[in-house]
Amino acid sequence: MSGLEIERKFLVKKCTDFKSQAFASDRIKQGYICSGHGRTVRVRIRGGRGYLTIKGPSADGGLSRYEFEKEITLDEAEQLFRLCEPGIIDKTRYLVNSGDHVFEVDEFYGDNEGLVMAEVELKAPEEPFIKPDFIGKEVTGDRRFYNSHLRQNPFKLWSTDL
């Protein structure tokens, strides 16, 4: 997959039952080979499969950015983790249907424990979508909630600021 990624990010309200609404879930481990100046090279293991992803700098207030993703072998992904910068993201991703869209809800572990975010990918910035009942405050464009930032500045260090 490659092209322009358009997505909006939201915090998930506490005490909501998004897990019962999910039609699928996977544990995700991801690391960053390179992250800086808004660009990232990420390696991910999800559902026993490996992926290499390159993302460009954000545009439109964090709403869109170029993304290139390629599936790689599990062995290649495990080897690439050796090249990653310190700090691994560990989370479970739940997929929840809402209208014509699928919300990806990430529940974080480790130093990011307590953070639950949802994102929805869109075809256009102004595309309407139906928010599930668990959607809270929008955090699109807030760099604190980028995974590449969370590995360096985990949620536990600044969660009281919310």
Side-chain angles (χ1 to χ4, degrees):
M1 176 191 118
S2 75
L4 188 65
E5 174 188 59
I6 301 169
E7 69 182 15
R8 291 179 61 183
K9 289 185 174 198
F10 303 87
L11 294 178
V12 171
K13 296 176 187 174
K14 294 193 183 303
C15 301
T16 58
D17 194 19
F18 65 88
K19 291 179 187 178
S20 70
Q21 298 175 46
F23 66 86
S25 67
D26 280 309
R27 190 74 176 246
I28 295 174
K29 173 186 170 186
Q30 68 187 42
Y32 290 83
I33 295 170
C34 179
S35 63
H37 306 289
R39 295 168 179 83
T40 60
V41 178
R42 176 185 78 200
V43 61
R44 173 184 277 178
I45 296 175
R46 177 181 181 179
R49 300 166 81 163
Y51 300 89
L52 182 65
T53 306
I54 301 168
K55 292 189 178 195
S58 294
D60 305 321
L63 185 62
S64 64
R65 66 194 297 191
Y66 175 80
E67 178 182 85
F68 170 86
E69 184 170 79
K70 179 165 181 48
E71 186 170 347
I72 58 177
T73 69
L74 184 57
D75 183 59
E76 289 168 331
E78 289 169 347
Q79 294 299 319
L80 286 173
F81 268 103
R82 295 178 180 186
L83 302 176
C84 288
E85 298 169 340
I88 298 297
I89 297 293
D90 182 19
K91 61 187 179 180
T92 296
R93 173 163 290 169
Y94 300 88
L95 303 179
V96 178
N97 284 320
S98 182
D100 294 332
H101 295 87
V102 174
F103 277 77
E104 297 176 338
V105 182
D106 291 343
E107 179 179 29
F108 291 82
Y109 307 111
D111 289 343
N112 291 301
E113 184 88 30
L115 178 60
V116 183
M117 287 192 305
E119 57 187 48
V120 61
E121 290 200 15
L122 306 171
K123 292 179 178 70
E126 67 283 346
E127 181 180 352
F129 58 92
I130 299 168
K131 291 182 187 176
D133 60 353
F134 56 79
I135 294 297
K137 176 184 174 186
E138 184 163 4
V139 294
T140 301
D142 187 335
R143 298 182 59 78
R144 295 178 300 172
F145 296 98
Y146 291 4
N147 283 274
S148 59
H149 181 83
L150 289 168
R151 74 164 185 83
Q152 295 174 330
N153 299 291
F155 185 64
K156 73 175 188 177
L157 298 178
W158 53 270
S159 61
T160 57
D161 295 345
L162 290 180

